[in-house]
DNA sequence: GTCTATATAAAGATAGAC
DNA sequence: GTCTATCTTTATATAGAC
């Protein structure tokens, strides 16, 4: 596994991030050692410190880039009917959650291991993501196509429900992804009073 | 803090469990040392091993007793209308989740740190709890007072949604517990097609 | 039942050679 | 850019005294 003095910076960085994401998600941040990450990549432990200031910064980078990718990928069109937008959000959220279950899991679980500064930064990104959903619910109320007593609570409830898919979904299991989206859409549509 | 040779076994056991629950929930299982737990209780680290075989068994005890208390406390009455039973389940789940947020959090997060045997045991208990909810949904379908495409997915979706309350609820925040139950009841009732 | 002391292993991080 | 070697700290767990 271990190479001797081979240099390939362009790929080592991403490999470190991939290994860290996988290991942190599987065992928990504190349970994973820098040596384990290094072994997974095929470098020595000391090498990791050419790519990250410390272990915590490595986690922070993973969470920040995940949230930024999520925000960049979500394309909303406020001119469309709110129910269509909600349907699109649901599909987007389930799809990305199932594509990157490890990053999703980390983003909801390992905030506590960040410095206060990094934690605040990630929390702000997450808040923007939640606001994207709430905007749709507010539009639905204004249109009269949805009904609910509290858009903020509904936002939190829906995100928790959708993200929960990662807890039980198994590739090749009883239901494929489209079917999951369809079933959840029935539940969500009912929940928002449509 | 540290006493010298004082003996009080009746209370030290529960204190260890309380401290471990709090610390594991706050920092993560792997991030907490036996020394930290001991310091919180006011004993020396070695003393903990009079109460648990090892660190992992301490976690397993916490999760097992939490699930067992939950199952013992939930009183269902299958002769009542399914919607009433669902309402009662919702209130029970939100109430206990907010009363014991640390145990709830651990039960969903730290299964990965158990031995395979302990993990299977806890998973079976959790499954029984999920089945208690699904039984209500199945009854609702049979009654014709609910409608949903998949009772198993609906079960997982509802539990994720309700448990998510612990992620954002703050004592003394914008909403008191009864109000939260009322808002979620609106969402749940819609989701199950009532 | 609890303490003190310790065996043994592994952690995060850094320095300097190649 | 990566490796080797190492400093320093901390961890789990156990043995035996009180």
């Amino acid at each position: 596994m271990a190479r001797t003095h081979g240099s390939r910076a362009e790929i080592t960085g991403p490999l470190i991030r991939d290994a860290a994401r996988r290991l942190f998600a599987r065992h928990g941040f504190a349970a994973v050692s820098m040596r384990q990450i290094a072994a997974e990549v095929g470098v020595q432990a000391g090498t990791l410190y050419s790519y990250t200031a410390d272990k915590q910064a490595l986690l922070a980078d993973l969470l920040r880039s995940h949230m930024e990718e999520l925000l960049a990928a979500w394309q909303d069109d406020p001119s469309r009917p709110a129910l269509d937008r909600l349907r699109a959000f649901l599909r987007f959220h389930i799809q990305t959650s199932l594509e990157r279950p490890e990053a999703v899991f980390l983003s909801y679980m390992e905030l506590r291991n960040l410095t206060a500064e990094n934690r605040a930064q990630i929390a702000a990104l997450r808040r923007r993501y939640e606001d994207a959903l709430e905007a749709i619910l507010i539009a639905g109320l204004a249109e009269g196509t949805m009904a609910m007593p509290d858009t903020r609570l509904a936002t939190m409830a829906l995100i928790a429900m959708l993200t929960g898919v990662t807890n039980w979904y198994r590739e090749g299991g009883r239901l494929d992804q489209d079917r999951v989206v369809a079933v959840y859409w029935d539940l969500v549509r009912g929940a928002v009073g449509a």
Side-chain angles (χ1 to χ4, degrees), chain A:
Chain A
M1 184 72 90
R3 282 161 301 106
T4 308
H5 295 102
S7 172
R8 42 174 198 176
E10 319 79 39
I11 63 171
T12 298
L15 284 181
I16 289 172
R17 292 159 54 86
D18 289 347
R21 186 185 306 109
R22 182 169 53 250
L23 290 170
F24 288 163
R26 187 163 324 167
H27 306 292
F29 173 76
V32 175
S33 71
M34 296 297 265
R35 283 173 175 82
Q36 272 179 276
I37 299 171
E40 190 90 351
V41 175
V43 296
Q44 293 301 311
T47 299
L48 299 184
Y49 292 88
S50 297
Y51 292 88
T52 184
D54 56 26
K55 195 184 170 193
Q56 181 270 155
L58 179 53
L59 174 65
D61 273 351
L62 291 175
L63 301 199
R64 180 162 35 242
S65 59
H66 169 65
M67 286 310 303
E68 279 168 354
E69 283 167 26
L70 222 54
L71 285 165
W74 168 238
Q75 299 293 331
D76 195 11
D77 177 359
S79 69
R80 292 170 57 211
L83 275 174
D84 290 353
R85 292 165 66 195
L86 181 59
R87 176 94 162 78
F89 183 90
L90 175 141
R91 174 175 291 281
F92 173 80
H93 189 85
I94 290 182
Q95 223 160 43
T96 55
S97 294
L98 292 181
E99 272 164 16
R100 284 171 279 180
E102 290 159 342
V104 170
F105 186 78
L106 288 180
S107 289
Y108 274 81
M109 284 314 314
E110 298 290 11
L111 281 176
R112 62 190 174 192
N113 284 302
L114 300 178
T115 60
E117 191 180 8
N118 280 329
R119 186 165 50 245
Q121 204 173 95
I122 310 292
L125 292 172
R126 186 149 97 190
R127 174 74 194 216
R128 276 180 50 201
Y129 187 72
E130 293 162 359
D131 288 347
L133 171 56
E134 190 175 9
I136 297 174
L137 301 183
I138 291 171
L141 287 189
E143 275 178 8
T145 51
M146 301 181 192
M148 72 205 75
D150 188 306
T151 57
R152 192 70 207 162
L153 255 65
T155 297
M156 302 310 282
L158 292 183
I159 287 187
M161 179 171 132
L162 297 180
T163 305
V165 172
T166 58
N167 290 332
W168 55 263
Y169 186 83
R170 293 296 171 267
E171 200 76 46
R174 180 165 66 90
L175 301 164
D176 69 19
Q177 203 168 299
D178 282 342
R179 178 83 184 122
V180 172
V181 169
V183 170
Y184 272 72
W185 176 234
D186 259 25
L187 295 170
V188 167
R189 197 172 37 187
V192 301

